[in-house]
Amino acid sequence: MFIYILLIVIAIILIYVLITYNSFKTLSNKVDEAFSTMDVYLKKRFDLIPNLVSVTKAYARHEAETLENIVKARSYDSIPDSEKLKTNEEISNTMSKLLALSESYPELKASENFKNLSENLVKIEDDIANARKYYNAVIKLYNNKVEQFPSNLCAKLFGYKIKTMFIASEEDRKSVSVILNEKKN
């Protein structure tokens, strides 16, 4: 009788471990998916930068140093995933300088190309913000599972560790203002 009870207890523990392991795998895959979604939008923004710089260069030749610093960014595809969020922070800082530079050139702000690129940038920034929210929500679920008892025992057993949420830098927390030249009546 004791052996049957012991076998049932062991079976229950094994079933719990299997279910918990599978839930960790599911959450881990959701984290990867959330990062990939955010990564797509970050890449779109990264690809938009050379176009913005080209249009701006035509109007602001003597601001070449600022513009060259923007272009110096490495190829986005060659950046390891672990560094993409940090690179994103650097790009955000540089983009705000580019947009501030555009304020000094009314003819640049009036340029149809610059307006279109700026509108695309605003849309991409909104998409990135939504992707960041989703990413952080999934990370929160995952981290809760890693930290809460008794699933934390399985997390240690299978090597699941806390993952870092996306945290905006001080520069990112400031509102980026893209002012488009509106038609005056």
Side-chain angles (χ1 to χ4, degrees):
M1 182 73 168
F2 176 72
I3 291 178
Y4 291 121
I5 293 174
L6 183 62
L7 288 175
I8 290 173
V9 168
I10 290 172
I12 290 171
I13 291 172
L14 283 176
I15 290 170
Y16 173 77
V17 168
L18 288 173
I19 290 170
T20 304
Y21 175 79
N22 287 337
S23 68
F24 273 119
K25 266 307 193 197
T26 300
L27 285 172
S28 182
N29 289 337
K30 282 186 177 186
V31 167
D32 292 343
E33 176 213 7
F35 182 83
S36 293
T37 300
M38 185 170 50
D39 193 39
V40 166
Y41 294 121
L42 294 174
K43 172 113 173 71
K44 279 184 180 180
R45 180 175 68 174
F46 193 85
D47 291 343
L48 183 64
I49 292 169
N51 295 328
L52 270 170
V53 168
S54 294
V55 169
T56 306
K57 270 185 177 180
Y59 290 91
R61 299 217 185 278
H62 66 281
E63 304 284 359
E65 183 181 332
T66 301
L67 300 172
E68 289 306 318
N69 288 338
I70 294 169
V71 176
K72 282 182 187 175
R74 299 172 286 183
S75 169
Y76 189 80
D77 294 329
S78 68
I79 301 169
D81 286 350
S82 60
E83 292 181 28
K84 283 186 177 176
L85 294 179
K86 184 177 185 308
T87 301
N88 168 62
E89 204 173 296
E90 293 168 5
I91 290 170
S92 292
N93 293 339
T94 308
M95 290 301 293
S96 64
K97 289 177 187 171
L98 176 65
L99 294 173
L101 177 65
S102 72
E103 293 296 316
S104 303
Y105 296 91
E107 65 277 5
L108 171 60
K109 284 182 7 184
S111 160
E112 203 57 43
N113 284 339
F114 188 80
K115 278 194 231 179
N116 289 337
L117 291 169
S118 296
E119 288 168 0
N120 285 338
L121 178 62
V122 169
K123 183 181 179 333
I124 290 170
E125 290 296 333
D126 288 343
D127 292 339
I128 290 170
N130 289 329
R132 287 174 180 165
K133 287 179 201 172
Y134 176 65
Y135 177 76
N136 282 346
V138 172
I139 291 286
K140 178 182 157 192
L141 291 173
Y142 173 86
N143 286 347
N144 286 344
K145 187 93 171 162
V146 169
E147 292 180 317
Q148 292 174 344
F149 183 81
S151 61
N152 65 341
L153 300 174
C154 291
K156 286 179 186 170
L157 177 69
F158 295 115
Y160 288 99
K161 295 181 174 108
I162 299 277
K163 295 191 184 248
T164 305
M165 287 188 166
F166 177 83
I167 299 171
S169 68
E170 278 302 314
E171 192 66 30
D172 281 344
R173 287 186 186 125
K174 294 177 185 172
S175 177
V176 175
S177 175
V178 178
I179 300 172
L180 302 175
N181 191 14
E182 308 220 355
K183 291 182 181 177
K184 296 181 181 174
N185 294 330

